[in-house]
Amino acid sequence: MDETALLQAIFWSEGSSRFALSDRLEFSKSKTNTLIAGLLDVGLLEESGLRGSTGGRRPETIKLSADLGVLVGVDLGATSLDVAVLRPDLTVLARHTETTDVRTGPGVVLARLRVLMRQLLTQCGMTTKQVIAIGMGLPGPVDFESAQLVNPPLMPEWDSFSIRDYLREEYSAPVFVDNDVNLMALGELWRLQGGLQNFLVIKVGTGIGCGIVCHGEVYRGANGSAGDVGHICVDVDGPRCHCGKLGCVEVMAAAPAIVRSATEAATSGESPLLAALLEANGVITPELVGQASRNGDAAANRIIQESGNRIGQMLASVVNFFNPSHVFIGGGLTRTGPQLLASVRQSVYQRSLALSTRHLEIQYTPLAERAGVVGAGVLAMQETLKHRKANA
């Protein structure tokens, strides 16, 4: 139990010294040194150099051993697949991103995933037997215990499909599955190393979701559906969402809504610049709308502002309810540029209570597009250590 607690502390505090670990775990120095010596001997830990000195001898830092093997992190979005091989300390060894369509079903998408996993492992000189654990994020509500999607609006063919069983046909490593934005929240929590305890991560792409960190832990709710903010109504007279309800923020402000509005502006003659971009590229993307906005296009500016305002309208209610210290925004829509963030901020500050926003910071996620695969690696390593503790 003490060994597992030490391993968890090392994982969550990159480059810790013996003294810092002793202080954090409230172990005596002799107990900490004895535990570390034993774990070094069996190859679970390694020394990784010296920290800066504050006076006296410079302390050696301790980290999880690279000889443990590797983690595989998978971030599956509605239109993208991001796969990475990571060391136990979450250093990315190899990574590949490509477009996909989850509506083609689990057979097609997961077959491609297995090919990519093999290729990346080979690129790193690793085999399937050296995989410690696999973490995977999905764009829908996940029952965390069974690792299965439950009535996912964006991917109905995946309902109750066992991804864990499918991957275990080729890998003996444990497989952990969660909602994609929960993994983004885990990634930020690991990056911050306990520096923040109560924050939100909003993912805005094809859909809109929210990862909740409460008292230093990702909060999943009673059944794993906490944070499904994309289906909060922001206009009772709005269009019908794919979930069947009217005026959800997802149908009014996510990437498809921006593309739809921009295409209308291009074809109606409202925006000659968007029309030119549509003709040159065949389709309008959120990135192109952002490009037009930065070039001063009034229609593009309006579309991005409206999206940010709707997201901020939803987020203001969540901020009033939860009172986070920070909100980190990620996902593909962030590629539209800074105006989306500015519109979200303005809407939240206008609609939220003064006490809720007194010290609130809203920014794009620092991990950017790596947040999903890093979070998947955190999930894989964290749950592996927890299971080690449970079996100790």
Side-chain angles (χ1 to χ4, degrees):
M1 298 284 282
D2 288 343
E3 287 185 347
T4 301
L6 179 62
L7 290 170
Q8 288 177 320
I10 290 169
F11 174 66
W12 283 98
S13 53
E14 183 182 14
S16 290
S17 66
R18 287 173 168 81
F19 177 79
L21 290 166
S22 174
D23 187 56
R24 179 171 180 173
L25 293 167
E26 298 182 349
F27 290 170
S28 68
K29 291 180 182 178
S30 61
K31 178 178 180 178
T32 303
N33 285 331
T34 299
L35 290 171
I36 289 174
L39 293 170
L40 286 168
D41 285 343
V42 298
L44 292 179
L45 298 179
E46 63 181 53
E47 293 174 326
S48 57
L50 300 173
R51 291 177 67 96
S53 176
T54 56
R57 181 180 174 185
R58 294 173 66 195
E60 290 178 321
T61 57
I62 307 296
K63 68 177 184 179
L64 297 177
S65 174
D67 293 337
L68 286 171
V70 292
L71 307 164
V72 176
V74 182
D75 181 20
L76 176 62
T79 60
S80 63
L81 177 59
D82 194 0
V83 190
V85 176
L86 309 97
R87 288 197 182 105
D89 65 358
L90 301 189
T91 301
V92 176
L93 297 175
R95 181 181 170 202
H96 175 83
T97 304
E98 66 181 38
T99 58
T100 192
D101 185 349
V102 294
R103 293 172 299 180
T104 58
V108 174
V109 175
L110 294 179
R112 177 59 179 162
L113 171 61
R114 290 211 302 200
V115 169
L116 293 174
M117 289 168 67
R118 285 195 298 269
Q119 289 177 349
L120 290 176
L121 287 169
T122 300
Q123 184 178 327
C124 298
M126 297 287 178
T127 67
T128 58
K129 293 182 179 179
Q130 291 171 285
V131 175
I132 305 167
I134 300 167
M136 184 169 181
L138 301 169
V142 174
D143 181 296
F144 188 68
E145 294 302 319
S146 67
Q148 294 180 357
L149 284 154
V150 181
N151 296 320
L154 293 175
M155 43 202 306
E157 290 187 34
W158 295 69
D159 185 33
S160 300
F161 183 87
S162 181
I163 295 170
R164 180 179 288 163
D165 288 347
Y166 182 89
L167 292 178
R168 279 180 173 170
E169 293 175 7
E170 193 167 343
Y171 294 85
S172 58
V175 178
F176 304 102
V177 181
D178 202 350
N179 175 265
D180 55 355
V181 73
N182 283 347
L183 296 197
M184 291 174 67
L186 264 179
E188 287 301 330
L189 188 61
W190 177 83
R191 179 188 67 83
L192 293 161
Q193 297 186 14
L196 299 177
Q197 294 292 301
N198 300 283
F199 64 87
L200 303 174
V201 176
I202 305 293
K203 182 178 182 181
V204 188
T206 304
I208 298 177
C210 177
I212 305 165
V213 173
C214 182
H215 298 304
E217 297 281 345
V218 171
Y219 178 73
R220 297 183 175 89
N223 301 109
S225 65
D228 194 5
V229 298
H231 301 288
I232 291 176
C233 178
V234 293
D235 185 351
V236 294
D237 297 318
R240 188 170 300 278
C241 180
H242 50 77
C243 74
K245 300 178 177 62
L246 296 176
C248 295
V249 66
E250 190 166 291
V251 74
M252 299 193 70
I258 284 185
V259 169
R260 185 171 58 248
S261 296
T263 303
E264 289 174 0
T267 56
S268 69
E270 180 186 358
S271 170
L273 178 52
L274 287 173
L277 290 171
L278 176 59
E279 183 177 358
N281 295 277
V283 293
I284 290 287
T285 65
E287 292 93 331
L288 291 174
V289 180
Q291 178 183 324
S293 173
R294 290 189 293 275
N295 287 328
D297 185 80
N301 283 335
R302 172 185 59 78
I303 291 164
I304 293 175
Q305 286 173 354
E306 287 176 353
S307 176
N309 182 61
R310 294 294 192 186
I311 294 167
Q313 180 183 344
M314 170 277 292
L315 190 52
S317 298
V318 179
V319 165
N320 283 336
F321 174 76
F322 183 63
N323 188 208
S325 66
H326 290 68
V327 175
F328 299 106
I329 300 176
L333 215 59
T334 61
R335 293 194 289 270
T336 58
Q339 185 164 1
L340 178 75
L341 181 61
S343 298
V344 171
R345 282 174 173 161
Q346 182 179 23
S347 183
V348 170
Y349 290 134
Q350 285 178 343
R351 298 170 185 271
S352 296
L353 297 173
L355 184 60
S356 297
T357 57
R358 181 176 295 173
H359 302 294
L360 176 67
E361 292 189 23
I362 303 174
Q363 64 184 83
Y364 284 152
T365 167
L367 284 174
E369 296 184 3
R370 295 186 301 119
V373 289
V374 169
V378 175
L379 176 72
M381 198 70 234
Q382 173 186 259
E383 293 303 314
T384 297
L385 292 173
K386 282 184 179 178
H387 282 67
R388 184 181 190 275
K389 182 177 182 179
N391 297 327

